[in-house]
Amino acid sequence: MRRWNGWGDDSINFAINDDALAFLQQRIGQGQAVSDASLAQACSAVPASRLPPHPLVETGAEVRMRNSLGQSLPDWLKLRYGRIDSFPDGVAFPESGEQVRSLLNYAQACGATVIPYGGGTSVVGHLSVPHGQVPVLSMNMSRLSGLINLDKTAQLARFGAGVFGPDLEAQLRAQGYTLGHFPQSFEYSSLGGWIVTRSSGQQSLRYGRIEQLFAGGRLEAPSGRLDIPTFPASAAGSDLREMVLGSEGRIGILTEAVVRVTPLPEREVFHAVFFPDWDAAQEAIRMIAQAKLPLSMLRLSNATETLTTLTLAGHKKLIGALETYLGWRGCKDQKCLLMLGASGHKATVAHAIKMALQIARQQQGVPVGQAMGQKWKQNRFRSVYLRNSLWQQGYAIDTVETACDWPKVKGMMLTVEQAATEALAECGERVHTYTHLSHVYAQGASVYTTFAYRLSGNYEQDLARWQNLKTAVCEAIVSGGGTISHQHGVGTDHAPYLSAEKGEFGIAAMRHLYTHFDPDGMMNPGKLLPPELAEFK
Amino acid sequence: MRRWNGWGDDSINFAINDDALAFLQQRIGQGQAVSDASLAQACSAVPASRLPPHPLVETGAEVRMRNSLGQSLPDWLKLRYGRIDSFPDGVAFPESGEQVRSLLNYAQACGATVIPYGGGTSVVGHLSVPHGQVPVLSMNMSRLSGLINLDKTAQLARFGAGVFGPDLEAQLRAQGYTLGHFPQSFEYSSLGGWIVTRSSGQQSLRYGRIEQLFAGGRLEAPSGRLDIPTFPASAAGSDLREMVLGSEGRIGILTEAVVRVTPLPEREVFHAVFFPDWDAAQEAIRMIAQAKLPLSMLRLSNATETLTTLTLAGHKKLIGALETYLGWRGCKDQKCLLMLGASGHKATVAHAIKMALQIARQQQGVPVGQAMGQKWKQNRFRSVYLRNSLWQQGYAIDTVETACDWPKVKGMMLTVEQAATEALAECGERVHTYTHLSHVYAQGASVYTTFAYRLSGNYEQDLARWQNLKTAVCEAIVSGGGTISHQHGVGTDHAPYLSAEKGEFGIAAMRHLYTHFDPDGMMNPGKLLPPELAEFK
């Protein structure tokens, strides 16, 4: 059963080994377990619904509580401390586009706000329920999840947009195809969610970001229906898909999506390469990206992330032997781990890996084969469960990510890590912070930083710690010339920083566009766009 | 010197050989040369300017005449028959973004319409000057053409958006880089024009469409300035670049554009392969595209285009020997020519070509080496000059293009060709029509059809012929499920067909968006969007 106050299925635990725990304690001090609120306590806070009855709208306390938040750190704080302070007044589970339409009409008629809810995996507050007098309907899309059509000649699949990652892949795999979109939230995130938040999967180098995979579909907006036909490419004016991408629930509900699929790869490999230090590693990964080889993944961990990964892996003896070998080859304390993958036709995979390793070796890279890569692949959706185990040990873990052009990448990594460290130094806490580049482009890379720090046991204090940290890193990103998000989206948490990259004029253009679809502002208000007075009716 | 009433530089002639002329005469009859209007006649039709004086605005007759049209067939008819019936009231040649701003302010102050003018190569009526009481300012961007910055680490180049293809490539090549964007209009089309019309180059398989190359820039709109910073990718809401792409002058003037460049390829090759018939060839090209090999180009001619190409090539003996050989290998009357190219690192080029030829052979393809490909490369920007020579022989030549998913491709080709043939059969004329797929995707392909037919010598009659033909093929495209343009854009000629793919609701969204940038509708009115009453003040 899915955890109501943490990540994933409650039968899965990713226990942290003793050495890793000791490592963390040494870095940031002993954690102090926090006592969690119970499910019953959380549900008892749910007030009476303000929505009139509707056959498709459920108003029970538990379903409303379970649809009230996502997976951001402040969401977790609310869940764990029993401090959820706003709930949708009802949750609908539409099973067809017609039901979505009728629910939108119903919401319009009773003046309700609508929050589209995919898998509830947002880490930036997309799902927060606004306070105020207006009733709120959560539109849970999880039952709109079927494969409607698979065109093998055009390699296009049409799905109900609420389909979750594993279900989508299972339906495709049964016919020999894959979408190849694997964000870390894969287990619970939905196709529609990926599209409206511009998601990026771990193998985007081969399959593309969701922007490249999204070929067409149907959106039900308060003011009408948008049907987007599929074309391989078009020069006919504005691309309507781009009005949907990144719209974060502000313009309507995506009910169907057509995506570009690929036959299952004949071969899929992941190789690990170590570098003596960051500079050599970054130079190598940039050169490999700019060589435009048919790879599927390039992921580079900095020295602290490399150390953390090796410590978390357990297998002390094996890792010890590896480190001795790497030491002989010049990869010591500052060593950085590059994971590279390729998928597809056997010969093309072999060519891509050969060329990439060749470049890596020229930059002092030491290839260590496929074992670590296979391990990474096995655990790719399990590592996110670590958040649960760490919480139980009294540690919070959060991440932030951006993307910037190559000349800014290293500075961005250093500045973000430093900003986080300094932000908590003010309250006497240390931060264990580490970074990787998980998506690389000829132009630059995403910069993804993780923070582990201690919980205080007090809600207000932990929220304040998070706010200090979040503000510091977001300001660092903006001042370093990065986008406020490469793959998580904007939601509420990043909205204050959006003007830095869009400009006031660009923000106004977005706002103006959205009013075409949602003239009364009923769709997910307060998300994505920086707040303006008119939004708070 | 650039021709005022035809394509390209007047020192370049692409003469048609006798055999090719005989071939055409046999297909559609003997052409009848039309007597052209003179430059002086064309200029004498220019009326007095209605614009108040401005130091940056030229109002001479010749400059206004030369900026009044593009290169569509109706544009040619007007130029050649001396029937230009509307001219801009003035032409400005801004040399900076500030001058563009001040010119927009000036136009706003005197209630003028502004038509952005890049290289004047539009083939769909982007540049037509509206009739009516409102004065019209043509904003000729050709002097805003410098390389402002080249960042070799991020592989980004910032240009003045008015730069023409050859100048752009020359400035990059001097430093070892290329943009790799080569539309057939390359010689005279501009970077800004490519962006606002969603252009696609001949080697888009490697370098991407202009959508993928456009990384950021600056737009001056009547209501403000849009600055778009560069990021390798972003999940932060709506992509502002997408508001500029395909906007066809409706939202403002792009003054600067940052594009993604690539080091000059170590190696560049083009191979030719013949197939016995269309079905085998289409199957091969689809399989090659779906194998996602690092190729730069795939271009497949149907049987009639293959025959036409071989006839145009001259070298009767050589071609005869080739055809004998191909006949032995099963490629006879219905043979189709596939041109495939790869560029980049030597080993990657070799791998891509090897894999592609392997797939081609499995589909009965007969590779014939690189000679024809090299010839194609040499002539890639010369073949467009054929339009001048054919006109002199009394023939009109026009093209239409779309893109659709693979299951629709063959039907689209047949329907479009048939529609054109039938359209002119009504007036007793034959059409020599042939097709190629020039841009292929895993999902589908562009379908590009050429029509050659006889001129009548009478303006009204030739315009009517073109209108019949254009209407017939556009209706065929729309009913066949293709986009109204894969690479030429919408302009005036395709505007009536746009609703078929965007829907009324989508069109309304576009219109609504554009009013943010241009609330008074002063920017290129009548283009792109289907006409509505309010637009005709």
Side-chain angles (χ1 to χ4, degrees):
Chain A
M1 174 120 193
R2 188 166 174 185
R3 284 189 176 85
W4 69 273
N5 66 350
W7 180 262
D9 193 276
D10 56 15
S11 71
I12 299 176
N13 282 300
F14 190 158
I16 181 166
N17 70 61
D18 291 345
D19 287 334
L21 194 60
F23 168 74
L24 197 59
Q25 286 167 350
Q26 178 242 314
R27 305 270 308 187
I28 57 175
Q30 167 92 42
Q32 187 70 41
V34 173
S35 71
D36 288 340
S38 70
L39 177 59
Q41 281 169 332
C43 292
S44 70
V46 179
S49 173
R50 297 166 296 181
L51 281 170
H54 185 287
L56 294 170
V57 177
E58 299 184 20
T59 54
E62 185 172 337
V63 69
R64 289 168 56 200
M65 191 280 294
R66 280 180 178 268
N67 279 264
S68 61
L69 290 167
Q71 290 282 326
S72 73
L73 198 84
D75 289 349
W76 268 50
L77 293 174
K78 285 182 182 172
L79 288 161
R80 296 288 187 152
Y81 283 103
R83 298 291 285 265
I84 317 176
D85 56 359
S86 62
F87 303 86
D89 291 274
V91 183
F93 294 85
E95 293 176 19
S96 68
E98 292 66 38
Q99 290 189 351
V100 170
R101 181 81 258 160
S102 94
L103 285 160
L104 282 180
N105 295 344
Y106 155 80
Q108 222 158 1
C110 54
T113 280
V114 175
I115 302 180
Y117 188 101
T121 62
S122 165
V123 289
V124 292
H126 285 117
L127 305 168
S128 308
V129 178
H131 296 270
Q133 300 308 308
V134 179
V136 175
L137 175 65
S138 172
M139 193 87 86
N140 187 307
M141 299 296 290
S142 59
R143 289 189 197 154
L144 236 166
S145 59
L147 173 59
I148 300 162
N149 183 55
L150 173 62
D151 177 342
K152 293 186 178 184
T153 311
Q155 303 192 337
L156 290 176
R158 178 179 291 264
F159 280 97
V163 64
F164 282 16
D167 188 14
L168 175 143
E169 282 294 331
Q171 294 184 73
L172 289 176
R173 266 157 208 264
Q175 306 205 48
Y177 286 79
T178 179
L179 178 60
H181 189 76
F182 303 112
Q184 193 156 28
S185 61
F186 176 74
E187 256 194 291
Y188 291 98
S189 53
S190 70
L191 175 55
W194 298 338
I195 292 167
V196 301
T197 61
R198 294 186 180 271
S199 163
S200 186
Q202 290 162 349
Q203 283 159 280
S204 66
L205 206 53
R206 170 169 166 82
Y207 297 102
R209 295 170 60 87
I210 202 70
E211 286 99 317
Q212 283 93 49
L213 297 172
F214 174 46
R218 172 173 284 186
L219 176 103
E220 298 288 349
S223 61
R225 170 187 293 165
L226 188 68
D227 266 311
I228 308 179
T230 59
F231 303 115
S234 169
S238 301
D239 187 341
L240 299 181
R241 290 173 303 173
E242 288 287 341
M243 297 189 181
V244 178
L245 287 161
S247 60
E248 301 196 353
R250 296 292 308 236
I251 68 168
I253 310 260
L254 192 67
T255 58
E256 293 178 13
V258 186
V259 284
R260 293 168 175 151
V261 300
T262 314
L264 287 166
E266 192 178 73
R267 196 164 159 72
E268 177 156 271
V269 300
F270 298 93
H271 283 251
V273 182
F274 284 87
F275 291 85
D277 58 34
W278 179 261
D279 289 340
Q282 187 189 310
E283 186 68 4
I285 197 176
R286 180 178 67 80
M287 286 174 69
I288 295 171
Q290 294 181 342
K292 297 181 181 171
L293 299 167
L295 294 164
S296 67
M297 189 182 85
L298 283 166
R299 178 191 164 107
L300 174 64
S301 300
N302 72 1
T304 309
E305 180 164 308
T306 301
L307 176 62
T308 306
T309 303
L310 293 177
T311 310
L312 272 173
H315 311 294
K316 209 173 171 177
K317 267 198 179 161
L318 213 63
I319 299 284
L322 174 69
E323 294 201 297
T324 306
Y325 168 72
L326 289 171
W328 289 338
R329 302 287 308 272
C331 299
K332 300 179 179 168
D333 283 0
Q334 291 305 305
K335 65 180 171 295
C336 295
L337 169 61
L338 170 68
M339 208 74 90
L340 60 92
S343 310
H345 187 284
K346 252 195 276 185
T348 302
V349 166
H351 170 76
I353 294 287
K354 184 185 145 195
M355 299 289 293
L357 292 182
Q358 198 171 302
I359 297 172
R361 282 197 196 91
Q362 285 163 8
Q363 302 300 322
Q364 312 169 57
V366 181
V368 296
Q370 299 188 44
M372 291 188 73
Q374 290 305 325
K375 200 78 200 161
W376 171 84
K377 190 186 169 185
Q378 280 165 31
N379 283 328
R380 62 202 289 191
F381 307 123
R382 287 195 64 213
S383 52
V384 62
Y385 282 85
L386 194 62
R387 211 179 179 191
N388 299 329
S389 340
L390 282 172
W391 187 276
Q392 281 159 17
Q393 301 288 344
Y395 298 106
I397 191 157
D398 200 13
T399 62
V400 71
E401 40 85 51
T402 179
C404 56
D405 298 343
W406 281 117
K408 298 173 184 165
V409 166
K410 186 182 175 183
M412 181 65 77
M413 170 179 79
L414 297 175
T415 318
V416 167
E417 292 195 351
Q418 192 189 347
T421 306
E422 284 173 5
L424 290 206
E426 284 171 23
C427 61
E429 288 294 318
R430 286 176 287 166
V431 185
H432 177 53
T433 167
Y434 50 85
T435 299
H436 65 257
L437 315 183
S438 53
H439 297 76
V440 297
Y441 305 84
Q443 181 183 335
S446 71
V447 179
Y448 192 108
T449 304
T450 303
F451 316 104
Y453 58 96
R454 295 198 298 183
L455 292 161
S456 71
N458 172 282
Y459 174 75
E460 279 75 16
Q461 209 168 324
D462 282 336
L463 185 61
R465 280 185 192 175
W466 176 81
Q467 275 165 338
N468 288 345
L469 190 145
K470 185 75 178 175
T471 307
V473 296
C474 287
E475 284 174 359
I477 284 171
V478 164
S479 65
T483 172
I484 197 60
S485 175
H486 169 270
Q487 66 204 69
H488 290 162
V490 179
T492 33
D493 298 349
H494 292 154
Y497 306 96
L498 196 63
S499 308
E501 63 194 83
K502 306 291 181 191
E504 293 304 332
F505 190 58
I507 294 285
M510 292 166 64
R511 196 183 301 281
H512 186 82
L513 173 64
Y514 303 163
T515 63
H516 168 70
F517 296 94
D518 179 28
D520 302 325
M522 65 184 276
M523 296 304 305
N524 216 8
K527 316 298 163 55
L528 177 53
L529 293 171
E532 59 163 9
L533 283 175
E535 260 192 10
F536 299 99
K537 307 177 229 188
Chain B
M1 173 118 193
R2 188 166 173 185
R3 284 189 175 84
W4 70 273
N5 67 350
W7 180 263
D9 193 277
D10 56 14
S11 70
I12 300 177
N13 282 299
F14 190 158
I16 182 165
N17 69 62
D18 291 346
D19 288 333
L21 194 59
F23 168 75
L24 197 60
Q25 285 167 350
Q26 177 242 314
R27 306 271 307 189
I28 57 176
Q30 167 93 42
Q32 186 70 39
V34 173
S35 71
D36 290 339
S38 70
L39 177 59
Q41 281 169 330
C43 292
S44 70
V46 179
S49 173
R50 297 165 296 180
L51 281 170
H54 184 287
L56 295 170
V57 177
E58 298 184 18
T59 54
E62 186 172 336
V63 69
R64 289 169 55 200
M65 190 280 294
R66 281 182 178 266
N67 279 265
S68 62
L69 290 167
Q71 290 283 327
S72 73
L73 197 85
D75 289 348
W76 268 50
L77 294 175
K78 285 182 182 173
L79 288 162
R80 296 286 187 153
Y81 283 103
R83 298 290 285 263
I84 316 176
D85 55 358
S86 61
F87 303 85
D89 291 274
V91 183
F93 294 85
E95 293 176 20
S96 68
E98 292 65 38
Q99 290 189 351
V100 169
R101 181 80 259 162
S102 93
L103 285 160
L104 282 180
N105 295 344
Y106 155 82
Q108 221 158 3
C110 54
T113 280
V114 175
I115 302 180
Y117 188 101
T121 63
S122 165
V123 289
V124 292
H126 285 116
L127 304 168
S128 307
V129 178
H131 296 270
Q133 300 307 309
V134 180
V136 175
L137 175 67
S138 172
M139 193 87 85
N140 186 307
M141 298 296 290
S142 60
R143 290 189 197 153
L144 237 167
S145 60
L147 172 59
I148 299 163
N149 183 53
L150 173 63
D151 177 342
K152 293 185 178 185
T153 311
Q155 302 191 339
L156 291 176
R158 179 179 290 264
F159 279 97
V163 65
F164 282 15
D167 188 15
L168 175 143
E169 282 294 331
Q171 293 185 72
L172 289 176
R173 268 157 206 263
Q175 305 206 45
Y177 286 79
T178 179
L179 178 61
H181 190 76
F182 303 111
Q184 194 157 29
S185 60
F186 176 74
E187 256 194 291
Y188 292 97
S189 52
S190 71
L191 174 56
W194 298 338
I195 292 167
V196 301
T197 62
R198 294 186 179 273
S199 163
S200 187
Q202 291 162 348
Q203 282 159 284
S204 66
L205 207 54
R206 170 169 165 83
Y207 297 103
R209 294 169 62 85
I210 202 72
E211 286 99 317
Q212 283 93 49
L213 298 172
F214 174 44
R218 173 173 284 185
L219 176 104
E220 299 288 348
S223 61
R225 170 186 293 165
L226 189 68
D227 266 311
I228 308 178
T230 59
F231 303 116
S234 170
S238 302
D239 188 341
L240 299 180
R241 289 173 303 174
E242 288 287 341
M243 298 188 180
V244 178
L245 286 160
S247 61
E248 302 195 352
R250 294 293 305 237
I251 69 168
I253 310 260
L254 191 67
T255 58
E256 294 178 13
V258 185
V259 284
R260 293 168 176 152
V261 299
T262 314
L264 287 166
E266 192 177 73
R267 198 165 157 72
E268 177 156 270
V269 301
F270 298 92
H271 284 250
V273 182
F274 284 87
F275 291 86
D277 58 33
W278 179 262
D279 289 342
Q282 187 189 309
E283 187 68 4
I285 196 175
R286 180 178 67 80
M287 287 174 69
I288 295 171
Q290 293 181 344
K292 297 182 183 172
L293 300 167
L295 294 165
S296 67
M297 188 183 85
L298 283 166
R299 178 192 164 108
L300 174 65
S301 299
N302 72 1
T304 309
E305 180 165 308
T306 301
L307 176 62
T308 307
T309 304
L310 294 176
T311 310
L312 272 174
H315 310 293
K316 210 173 173 179
K317 267 197 180 161
L318 212 63
I319 299 284
L322 174 69
E323 293 200 296
T324 306
Y325 167 72
L326 288 171
W328 290 339
R329 301 288 308 272
C331 298
K332 300 177 182 168
D333 281 0
Q334 292 304 306
K335 65 180 171 295
C336 295
L337 168 61
L338 170 68
M339 208 74 89
L340 59 89
S343 310
H345 188 282
K346 251 196 275 184
T348 302
V349 166
H351 171 76
I353 293 288
K354 184 185 146 195
M355 300 288 292
L357 292 182
Q358 198 171 301
I359 297 172
R361 281 196 197 90
Q362 285 163 8
Q363 302 301 322
Q364 311 169 59
V366 182
V368 296
Q370 299 188 42
M372 290 188 73
Q374 291 305 326
K375 200 80 200 157
W376 171 85
K377 190 186 169 185
Q378 281 165 27
N379 283 329
R380 64 201 289 190
F381 307 124
R382 286 195 65 211
S383 52
V384 62
Y385 281 85
L386 194 61
R387 210 180 181 192
N388 299 330
S389 340
L390 282 172
W391 188 276
Q392 281 159 16
Q393 301 287 343
Y395 297 107
I397 190 157
D398 200 15
T399 64
V400 70
E401 40 86 48
T402 178
C404 56
D405 297 344
W406 281 117
K408 298 172 184 166
V409 166
K410 185 182 175 184
M412 181 65 76
M413 170 178 79
L414 298 175
T415 319
V416 167
E417 291 195 353
Q418 192 188 347
T421 307
E422 285 173 5
L424 290 205
E426 284 171 23
C427 60
E429 288 295 317
R430 288 176 286 165
V431 184
H432 178 53
T433 167
Y434 51 86
T435 298
H436 65 257
L437 316 182
S438 54
H439 297 76
V440 296
Y441 305 83
Q443 181 183 336
S446 71
V447 179
Y448 191 108
T449 304
T450 303
F451 316 104
Y453 58 96
R454 294 198 298 184
L455 292 162
S456 72
N458 172 283
Y459 174 77
E460 280 75 16
Q461 210 168 324
D462 282 336
L463 185 61
R465 281 185 192 175
W466 176 82
Q467 275 164 338
N468 289 346
L469 190 146
K470 184 76 179 174
T471 305
V473 296
C474 287
E475 284 174 358
I477 284 171
V478 163
S479 66
T483 173
I484 197 60
S485 175
H486 168 271
Q487 66 204 68
H488 289 162
V490 179
T492 33
D493 298 349
H494 292 153
Y497 306 96
L498 196 62
S499 309
E501 62 193 86
K502 306 291 181 189
E504 293 303 332
F505 190 58
I507 293 284
M510 291 167 65
R511 196 184 300 282
H512 186 82
L513 174 63
Y514 304 162
T515 63
H516 168 71
F517 296 94
D518 179 28
D520 302 324
M522 64 184 276
M523 297 302 307
N524 216 9
K527 316 298 163 57
L528 176 56
L529 292 171
E532 60 164 10
L533 284 176
E535 260 191 11
F536 299 99
K537 305 179 233 187

